[in-house]
Amino acid sequence: MRKVIYFMSMSLDGYIESPDKDLAWHQVDDELHRAFNERLAAMGGFLHGRVVHELMADFWPTADQDPANAGPMAEFAVIWRDMPKCVYSRTLQRADWNTTVVHDVVPEEVMALKEQPGGDLALGGAGLAASFAALDLIDEYWVYVHPVLIGRGKPMFPLSDTMTPLRLASTGTFGNGVVELRYERAEKPSAR
């Protein structure tokens, strides 16, 4: 069965974007971009909220046509275009670029997606991830911690009353100081 993997970059203090939605602090050099490409190309689909989808759709569909985006950026443009995508939105009626619009997170529908053949499913966006987590639908967390403190912004993990035990699956480091942390869900401790 395919897994749902929450795949995001965050600052050391836990934010995915600054208050003005700036992402310039992301330290994605060619080495890290190649690693992202390798991991994401093996996926079977992207699951995004509307905001993440629109951010991606504003840039990636034609990014490889700009000579300034040679190398890993151009490679990712092809990966993004070709990958099946589900965008979760109550306001969008349609989306381009191999994208299906889904209006609500329905556990049975997510389980049916997981049962389809193919690679795992990359989940992006803090709000959507919070919805998936509340329904216990996230199997792994792949967090890319960037060596920067941005002070405030949108947290990767919104406040929650749910405890989710995790087990460290692997770690990695990149020359630019980014650390990859991969966690799998662990068994919840039994009540005494």
Side-chain angles (χ1 to χ4, degrees):
M1 181 178 290
R2 303 195 291 182
K3 297 176 185 175
V4 171
I5 299 170
Y6 184 20
F7 188 107
M8 288 292 287
S9 287
M10 75 173 192
S11 63
L12 181 60
D13 50 353
Y15 298 105
I16 61 171
E17 65 183 28
S18 69
D20 59 357
K21 303 197 182 302
D22 179 28
L23 300 176
W25 55 269
H26 281 203
Q27 298 180 23
V28 182
D29 60 7
D30 282 355
E31 177 194 19
L32 182 57
H33 214 302
R34 281 189 190 92
F36 284 169
N37 289 355
E38 180 182 320
R39 287 154 181 76
L40 291 171
M43 295 290 173
F46 296 150
L47 310 175
H48 290 151
R50 181 190 53 80
V51 173
V52 170
H53 177 75
E54 287 177 346
L55 178 72
M56 301 294 275
D58 282 346
F59 181 75
W60 290 109
T62 58
D64 56 336
Q65 296 171 14
D66 183 344
N69 295 332
M73 286 186 70
E75 293 164 12
F76 183 72
V78 174
I79 293 167
W80 188 87
R81 261 195 323 265
D82 292 349
M83 187 69 64
K85 294 170 277 301
C86 289
V87 58
Y88 287 80
S89 171
R90 292 190 175 112
T91 57
L92 286 179
Q93 295 306 311
R94 60 175 296 281
D96 295 322
W97 309 109
N98 200 17
T99 304
T100 301
V101 176
V102 181
H103 295 292
D104 293 297
V105 179
V106 178
E108 295 79 16
E109 291 174 4
V110 174
M111 293 307 293
L113 267 178
K114 290 173 66 169
E115 290 173 0
Q116 292 177 7
D120 294 329
L121 304 166
L123 175 65
L128 183 60
S131 296
F132 270 65
L135 296 168
D136 202 24
L137 295 172
I138 300 176
D139 300 296
E140 294 186 14
Y141 295 79
W142 294 8
V143 182
Y144 294 84
V145 182
H146 293 249
V148 61
L149 302 170
I150 63 173
R152 56 192 180 93
K154 185 173 191 172
M156 182 167 171
F157 299 102
L159 295 177
S160 169
D161 292 328
T162 305
M163 184 183 86
T164 304
L166 303 172
R167 183 184 71 75
L168 183 64
S170 68
T171 63
T173 58
F174 297 90
N176 61 6
V178 171
V179 175
E180 175 187 64
L181 302 170
R182 294 177 62 183
Y183 290 95
E184 298 172 343
R185 284 190 359 202
E187 295 297 318
K188 292 184 178 179
S190 58
R192 293 182 183 237

